[in-house]
Amino acid sequence: MKRTLLLGLFLAAGVSNMALANADLAKAKNCMACHSVNNKVLGPAFKDIGAKYAGQKGAEDKLVQKVMKGGSGVWGTVPMPANGQVSEAEARTLVKWILTLK
């Protein structure tokens, strides 16, 4: 019983730290200049993006490309610029994290 409880706490702490780490990556890559987790800034809130693309086939790959190459027209008239400072691996990490937010 104690072992199960400790395992559960350990896993919860790991997930929490992973979420914080990905928020830190978003800050480091300047994503937070236009986005926030919970509220629309210049771009949509990450939780709104996560909710919109939840369960969609191919969403992760599509969003990785948008992070790297930019895009427009999905969330309004303000285009998202390309993010040349974000590697594909970093973009994938960010997108996976965003898709967990709903």
Side-chain angles (χ1 to χ4, degrees), residues 3-80:
R3 182 177 278 175
T4 303
L5 179 61
L6 287 174
L7 180 60
L9 290 173
F10 178 74
L11 290 174
V15 169
S16 176
N17 286 339
M18 190 179 349
L20 290 175
N22 293 329
D24 288 343
L25 179 59
K27 288 176 190 170
K29 294 302 178 178
N30 209 28
C31 302
M32 299 301 202
C34 297
H35 301 275
S36 81
V37 173
N38 295 308
N39 301 306
K40 180 184 184 331
V41 181
L42 186 58
F46 288 142
K47 71 173 186 165
D48 294 338
I49 297 169
K52 179 174 184 147
Y53 290 96
Q56 286 188 24
K57 186 174 183 173
E60 183 179 319
D61 291 332
K62 178 180 182 176
L63 292 174
V64 166
Q65 291 305 307
K66 283 192 179 232
V67 167
M68 295 175 60
K69 296 179 181 177
S72 64
V74 176
W75 295 93
T77 59
V78 179
M80 180 173 154

